Amino acid sequence: MTSLADLGPVAQLRAGRLPRRLTQLLVGLVLYGASLALMVRGRLGLAPWDVLHSGLIRYLPLDLGQMVIVVSVLVLLLWIPLREKPGIGTIANTLLIGSSADAVLAVLPAPHPMALRVLFTVGGVALCAFATALYIGAQFGRGPRDGLMTGLVRRTGASIRLVRTGLEVTVVVIGLLLGGSLGLGTVLYALTIGPLAQRWLPAWIVDVGPAQEPAIAASASR
């Protein structure tokens, strides 16, 4: 099976199948933003980091997508002491997911029947997992939140499960205190995003040749 490589920005561009990988990266990130918009319109709860984003916009004059970008930049600053190196995918992730979310929210009305709200929420989670497989499989590096997780894993020696759970519990608690949106959709996301992304990822990993350094993991968060 094709494996994930941990490549620097220059190596990412020199690796093979660049047009296919760039297209897959961009499509994956745009769909990721669309999945966020679907969950927002479903009004049944958001993904853990988006609980934080939805809480912050209650106090700051920003749209949800703009807040996603701002938090991504702040998280990238935390990479500095962790000595994580951003890649092309890191920058694209920072800019495109929030922009895509706002664009879809601008044209997607909120459904009123509960059946449609459930469909939006379930569809948002499934689309997020598929989008995750696309953008990670493009082999352009981790997103800001994934890099924070892997950096903490390297620095603390703790397990990925422990670090990721700790981060997501922290952002959910802060988001709730700020009035963010928590619900059944949050639970559904937490339980299914990892297994779904793991199931779809192997089919979308683009072979770029022998990995220079094995990646820690294919996480299913941004």
Side-chain angles (χ1 to χ4, degrees):
M1 182 183 72
T2 304
S3 61
L4 289 171
D6 193 5
L7 306 174
V10 174
Q12 289 170 4
L13 289 174
R14 289 178 175 174
R17 308 183 69 181
L18 185 61
R20 151 75 189 274
R21 291 167 51 231
L22 282 172
T23 300
Q24 185 172 311
L25 172 70
L26 296 177
V27 170
L29 294 176
V30 169
L31 290 180
Y32 204 127
S35 74
L36 192 166
L38 281 173
M39 293 189 70
V40 169
R41 291 296 186 238
R43 306 190 309 281
L44 293 175
L46 300 175
W49 280 93
D50 295 323
V51 175
L52 174 62
H53 302 144
S54 65
L56 288 170
I57 62 173
R58 295 168 61 91
Y59 300 92
L60 297 171
L62 296 173
D63 295 332
L64 182 64
Q66 293 171 335
M67 184 56 67
V68 171
I69 295 172
V70 168
V71 171
S72 295
V73 172
L74 294 176
V75 170
L76 281 178
L77 294 177
L78 297 176
W79 282 33
I80 297 173
L82 297 173
R83 298 183 181 177
E84 287 288 294
K85 296 179 181 179
I88 295 167
T90 309
I91 306 304
N93 184 302
T94 299
L95 298 176
L96 286 183
I97 290 179
S99 301
S100 171
D102 274 348
V104 175
L105 285 169
V107 299
L108 184 68
H112 295 291
M114 179 56 72
L116 283 179
R117 292 173 60 191
V118 171
L119 181 62
F120 272 37
T121 300
V122 174
V125 174
L127 182 60
C128 183
F130 178 64
T132 297
L134 286 180
Y135 102 77
I136 291 180
Q139 306 264 33
F140 280 108
R142 295 178 285 275
R145 294 153 186 81
D146 282 338
L148 176 61
M149 178 194 70
T150 56
L152 288 171
V153 167
R154 288 193 179 100
R155 288 293 171 183
T156 64
S159 68
I160 291 175
R161 182 190 300 271
L162 178 61
V163 170
R164 177 172 174 175
T165 300
L167 284 173
E168 296 195 346
V169 168
T170 299
V171 297
V172 165
V173 170
I174 295 173
L176 279 177
L177 292 174
L178 295 173
S181 178
L182 177 72
L184 292 177
T186 311
V187 177
L188 177 67
Y189 183 98
L191 293 177
T192 63
I193 190 70
L196 285 175
Q198 184 174 346
R199 181 178 182 85
W200 289 329
L201 180 59
W204 291 100
I205 297 177
V206 182
D207 187 5
V208 294
Q212 296 180 6
E213 181 182 341
I216 284 185
S219 175
S221 63
R222 294 195 294 281

